[in-house]
Amino acid sequence: MSIRKVGELLVEQKLITQEQLLEALDLQKVFPDQPVGQLLCKLGFIKESDLSFVLDQKNKRRKLTDILLGNGLVDQQKISHAREVGKQNNISVEKALLKLNYVDEESLSRVIAAQYDMPYVQINPNDLDLSLSRYISSVYAQKQRIAPISKIGNTLTLAMAQPLKSHDIRELEDSIRLKIISAIATETSIARSLKRLYNIDNANSVSANDEVNLDIVPDSIIDLLSKTNEGDEPEVAEETKKVTEKDSVIVKLVNKIIYDAYMNKASDIHIEPYPGKKDVIVRTRVDGQCSIYQRIPYKYKFALPSRIKIMGDLDIAERRKPQDGKIDFKKFGPLDVELRVATMPTVGGMEDVVIRVLASGDPISFDDLGLNARNLRVFKESLSRPHGLILVVGPTGSGKTTTLHSGLAQINQTNRKIWTAEDPVEITQAGLRQVQVNPRIGFTFAAALRSFLRLDPDVIMVGEMRDEETASTAVEASLTGHLVFSTLHTNSAPETVTRLLEMGLDPYSFSDSLVCVLAQRLARRLCKDCKESFHLSESEYNELVEEFGRDEFANTGLGLADTVMFRAVGCDRCGHTGYRGRLGIHEVLECTDPLKALIKRRADTDHVREQAARDGMTTLKQDGILKVLGGLTDIHEVRRVCIK
């Protein structure tokens, strides 16, 4: 069923003509930010009341969240978090946004006014005429959160937090025998107006922010630390007792650390206590880089790890050996996020804790992976194969799982049965049968893979090829008619081929099964708001060409005048780092017939790399430099994450 546009609906209901609609559409080319409905009103072709009726009846209003996103007041992560909090606490998204301090009350009211094409007013209660109270009853005004703010002739202006329905306005007009003009104002200003006009106590009339009396947002870290008292060296037993008290400062402190890390899109939190009276250092890793988040007074050096161990169901008394576990944080705070916890005893009787914030959720769009045209073509063709082995390689934290799931999303259809074995399951997809391996009980990747073969699969994903058994089973599965995905920790695509041969794979079976190898790294993306362009000097240009490969660079057709690069500057949006977010840098080795022949001869890495280059492969460094010239990142980031 096609989606009807506002203009078409107005023509259909004979409120405007086709010619009037075309005139408004022409005017919209000059004012692209103006909705067609508003332009029709300004041209005098339709009344505001008629337009409002159609928009409400046909549910054609712009969404509040879309306006907030479009105006840059919030990002998608904050909207998603507000929705989660709203569902958990049975409040609207608007109230959750206010309570989480993502938007202020005035900004939200202005957006509501824009959503309903209504004026926004700022009210000074002291200027209100007290005689206005006789037109609207106090009970009705308080119930509907409206306040009469002016009367000129037979027209009464009503300020409201949320627009009243059209029929409510008409009934009110009939009742008071006045024409009503509606305007949007903040709930706080309306509450003050009601206090002035009707002497209604503010205790009975709350603002949107006060209405939600929930401990959604943790205290600020400064406030929490100000509650601590300097004292003598803490005792282990004494401090660990405190971590079970629900209202203890330490409980709020741990919640605040995790909450801030999640909101800053950190992947890891490092808790680092030291002997003596040195502060506990808390560091977070954002976009692959560690930085100090906070220094916590030394008196919490035992309590912090103990509290986290309780949350992760670990042995609080065991401080001599490493432990690991998981935390379902929604039991303790306002976020629905899973955490992995690992502890490690350190010198001086201390215990470090590292928390991994799992990026659970949906796979990212295939087109957002950042693959260049050739790499995208090879990877897509590989995904369309009925059987074979597809490998994604790189160090820990380079986005391998994300890439694999984006690829799986491309072929995730009802006519294909897809099994995945992962450790842990971070990204979920409807239609996939996903399994978490558990090596402690012997349920390894190899064991899961063997079991999958008895479950009538079409596609299999194995989280990692850790040993020869897993690799051999994966090759056998790909040769028996299954498309197999997996990952390895290798530096480059050509090295992956020789690594698997050294593991003991049969070169003939391996060469027949391999479809492609995608190697990747994650580099920090330059902040769009503050990056600065500059032209290279001749010596810098020559250095870049040598780094890329002189012959290969000549094929790009770029000369000295064409090579514009960008540098990091730093602004409020990126935390003064100059970088915001990350992007993938890739090399894709296609298993062509000449390459299959090399694998059968157990060729070394250099020969494999040379053949892959002849087949069109750009190396990680080359792909990174092309993305530098595209203004996405800088050369320092590429050099940091890529080998030549």
Side-chain angles (χ1 to χ4, degrees), residues 229-250:
N229 298 315
E230 293 298 327
D232 297 327
E233 181 75 11
E235 293 288 332
V236 178
E238 181 187 335
E239 288 302 308
T240 52
K241 280 179 190 173
K242 297 178 183 177
V243 301
T244 56
E245 298 169 17
K246 195 168 184 181
D247 59 348
S248 167
V249 172
I250 189 66

Side-chain angles (χ1 to χ4, degrees), residues 54 57 74 118-119 164 262 268 361 409 468 488 537 562 571 582:
V54 171
Q57 188 187 44
V74 293
M118 293 168 62
L164 292 180
Y262 176 83
D268 300 88
E468 192 270 338
L488 258 86
S537 67
D562 306 314
C571 65
R582 289 194 285 180

Side-chain angles (χ1 to χ4, degrees), residues 198-382:
Y198 303 101
N199 200 25
I200 296 173
D201 190 2
N202 278 334
N204 300 322
S205 178
V206 293
S207 72
N209 208 19
D210 297 329
E211 188 175 317
V212 189
N213 188 20
L214 300 164
D215 186 19
I216 291 177
V217 184
D219 298 336
S220 79
I221 194 81
I222 302 300
D223 290 343
L224 286 169
L225 293 178
S226 69
K227 296 174 186 176
T228 66
N229 298 315
E230 293 298 327
D232 297 327
E233 181 75 11
E235 293 288 332
V236 178
E238 181 187 335
E239 288 302 308
T240 52
K241 280 179 190 173
K242 297 178 183 177
V243 301
T244 56
E245 298 169 17
K246 195 168 184 181
D247 59 348
S248 167
V249 172
I250 189 66
V251 172
K252 293 182 179 179
L253 195 58
V254 171
N255 284 358
K256 180 61 175 171
I257 290 168
I258 294 169
Y259 179 88
D260 283 356
Y262 176 83
M263 297 316 296
N264 292 327
K265 300 181 181 177
S267 59
D268 300 88
I269 306 165
H270 298 256
I271 314 286
E272 301 168 351
Y274 291 88
K277 294 191 176 184
K278 292 181 181 176
D279 288 342
V280 178
I281 304 296
V282 180
R283 295 196 286 168
T284 56
R285 187 182 297 278
V286 179
D287 292 339
Q289 295 288 298
C290 262
S291 61
I292 292 177
Y293 156 74
Q294 192 60 249
R295 295 175 185 272
I296 309 292
Y298 67 91
K299 68 172 290 185
Y300 289 123
K301 61 186 177 184
F302 300 124
L304 271 173
S306 297
R307 172 59 190 167
I308 294 166
K309 284 160 79 173
I310 284 174
M311 293 167 74
D313 291 327
L314 303 180
D315 185 354
I316 193 171
E318 180 56 75
R319 302 175 61 248
R320 298 165 302 167
K321 64 182 183 183
Q323 298 184 67
D324 60 88
K326 292 178 181 177
I327 297 173
D328 184 2
F329 189 64
K330 68 182 174 187
K331 296 177 184 176
F332 307 98
L335 302 173
D336 186 4
V337 61
E338 190 177 331
L339 312 167
R340 275 196 297 176
V341 182
T343 68
M344 177 62 71
T346 51
V347 292
M350 298 296 104
E351 196 172 20
D352 275 33
V353 181
V354 177
I355 301 171
R356 165 66 57 90
V357 182
L358 296 181
S360 57
D362 298 326
I364 69 168
S365 163
F366 193 74
D367 295 329
D368 292 338
L369 290 176
L371 293 161
N372 65 33
R374 181 260 174 191
N375 291 346
L376 190 65
R377 175 186 59 78
V378 172
F379 197 41
K380 270 191 172 178
E381 287 175 359
S382 302

Side-chain angles (χ1 to χ4, degrees), residues 37 41 53 70 106 120 151 180 198 235 376 407 448 474 478 480 486 526 551 563 575 600 604 627 631:
C41 289
F53 176 77
E106 183 180 341
Y120 169 79
K151 178 180 176 292
I180 290 175
Y198 303 101
E235 293 288 332
L376 190 65
S478 65
T480 53
S486 191
L526 285 170
D551 294 339
T563 50
K600 287 170 183 171
D604 60 25
K627 282 168 180 167

Side-chain angles (χ1 to χ4, degrees), residues 13-30:
Q13 299 199 11
K14 298 183 179 178
L15 291 168
I16 60 168
T17 65
Q18 186 67 37
E19 291 73 23
Q20 288 171 333
L21 174 59
L22 292 173
E23 188 175 336
L25 289 172
D26 285 338
L27 187 60
Q28 194 181 41
K29 294 173 184 174
V30 182

Side-chain angles (χ1 to χ4, degrees), residues 383-429:
L383 293 171
S384 65
R385 296 283 192 95
H387 55 81
L389 181 63
I390 297 173
L391 300 173
V392 179
V393 304
T396 301
S398 60
K400 300 187 296 295
T401 303
T402 301
T403 299
L404 276 180
H405 269 281
S406 294
L408 284 174
Q410 289 289 106
I411 58 173
N412 182 8
Q413 297 164 350
T414 53
N415 61 349
R416 287 192 173 193
K417 183 63 179 278
I418 303 176
W419 284 96
T420 78
E422 303 169 68
D423 185 21
V425 177
E426 294 185 44
I427 299 171
T428 56
Q429 287 190 58

Side-chain angles (χ1 to χ4, degrees), residues 38 48 52 56 61 111-118 162-163 184:
Q38 279 303 297
E48 286 267 7
S52 183
D56 290 333
R61 292 278 180 201
V111 168
I112 292 170
Q115 183 187 19
Y116 287 91
D117 306 312
M118 293 168 62
Q162 290 284 344
I184 297 293

